[in-house]
Amino acid sequence: RKEVEQDPGPFNVPEGATVAFNCTYSNSASQSFFWYRQDCRKEPKLLMSVYSSGNEDGRFTAQLNRASQYISLLIRDSKLSDSATYLCVAYSGSARQLTFGSGTQLTVLP
Amino acid sequence: DTEVTQTPKHLVMGMTNKKSLKCEQHMGHRAMYWYKQKAKKPPELMFVYSYEKLSINESVPSRFSPECPNSSLLNLHLHALQPEDSALYLCASSQEGRGQGVAFFGQGTRLTVV
């Protein structure tokens, strides 16, 4: 079993749609969680951190459920520019290690 | 300055060559990483340096040799690579303490081994 598992995708959605990505992690020692975004042939970039209380950044909402070891990302009012691969990431401080999920590809269609 | 700079951006090398990838950051981050990424796959951790000391080596073959000359620089020395080592090599850095896990990535070196 992979340490971080994501919806395989791909997701193809029309502009303006709401799309949700899910992720589960198996290492209960993981301390911090993040969503990274990676555009084609570019480097990953931090999209947002994920907290148990939930956090929102504009059209993006992330949520962490430690009991279920589950992370989510909700994108509202999708834009063409949201097309990218979204990577769920768990961080273990003791190992100083970021563990990436396999990524979910999103294409927003006009 | 929130930038991690990697050079070169592209590299083609033969299996008998020796080359080095370079990474530099001036954000005062004390953790630096090398990742390898194949097409349509997530980044795979290779090495972690913490305070200029190697803290993690994810069973990487010895033909990859990391080096951290100082807190701002990270190198990856390559020797006798195989065609299957062709990939995007990403360097990243992050803070220790508060901010751990928030990594800044360089643009990567796209390596082709022929």
Side-chain angles (χ1 to χ4, degrees):
Chain A
R1 184 183 172 191
K2 293 181 183 176
E3 278 198 42
V4 179
E5 297 206 57
Q6 289 186 241
D7 285 345
F11 284 64
N12 298 316
V13 303
E15 264 187 296
T18 295
V19 61
F21 301 143
N22 303 316
C23 171
T24 57
Y25 63 95
S26 60
N27 184 357
S28 58
S30 297
Q31 295 167 277
S32 308
F33 304 89
F34 308 89
W35 284 100
Y36 278 72
R37 169 191 169 135
Q38 187 169 25
D39 292 289
C40 186
R41 299 181 72 80
K42 298 284 190 180
E43 75 276 21
K45 291 186 178 177
L46 177 70
L47 178 66
M48 57 197 304
S49 303
V50 189
Y51 305 114
S52 299
S53 54
N55 50 309
E56 189 173 310
D57 183 2
R59 297 180 292 108
F60 299 83
T61 301
Q63 187 75 51
L64 165 65
N65 184 323
R66 285 193 185 270
S68 304
Q69 298 188 188
Y70 172 89
I71 302 156
S72 65
L73 176 68
L74 185 75
I75 305 175
R76 291 181 298 278
D77 189 23
S78 301
K79 310 291 184 191
L80 296 176
S81 56
D82 294 334
S83 298
T85 295
Y86 290 83
L87 296 154
C88 177
V89 181
Y91 178 74
S92 169
S94 58
R96 292 184 177 83
Q97 184 166 338
L98 285 170
T99 302
F100 286 81
S102 56
T104 302
Q105 186 178 345
L106 171 67
T107 302
V108 180
L109 303 167
Chain B
D1 183 6
T2 55
E3 196 173 84
V4 177
T5 304
Q6 286 187 245
T7 55
K9 287 190 169 38
H10 300 274
L11 178 62
V12 179
M13 60 186 289
M15 290 188 283
T16 58
N17 290 160
K18 285 185 180 181
K19 297 286 184 184
S20 296
L21 309 186
K22 297 186 183 304
C23 175
E24 188 169 3
Q25 57 89 14
H26 295 289
M27 294 177 279
H29 291 170
R30 303 311 294 271
M32 295 186 77
Y33 309 79
W34 281 114
Y35 283 85
K36 172 182 177 180
Q37 188 174 26
K38 302 282 271 186
K40 299 193 185 298
K41 298 288 187 183
E44 293 177 25
L45 183 65
M46 300 175 73
F47 303 104
V48 180
Y49 273 82
S50 177
Y51 292 92
E52 295 97 72
K53 288 188 176 4
L54 183 65
S55 62
I56 294 176
N57 175 341
E58 288 287 337
S59 303
V60 179
S62 60
R63 57 186 184 269
F64 295 92
S65 174
E67 179 197 17
C68 190
N70 60 53
S71 60
S72 300
L73 295 174
L74 186 65
N75 299 323
L76 186 63
H77 303 297
L78 314 173
H79 173 54
L81 295 194
Q82 303 297 309
E84 59 266 27
D85 296 322
S86 299
L88 179 67
Y89 288 84
L90 292 160
C91 173
S93 70
S94 69
Q95 290 180 339
E96 290 284 13
R98 188 172 178 169
Q100 279 185 354
V102 177
F104 293 85
F105 284 83
Q107 291 184 323
T109 293
R110 198 161 295 279
L111 174 67
T112 303
V113 182
V114 296

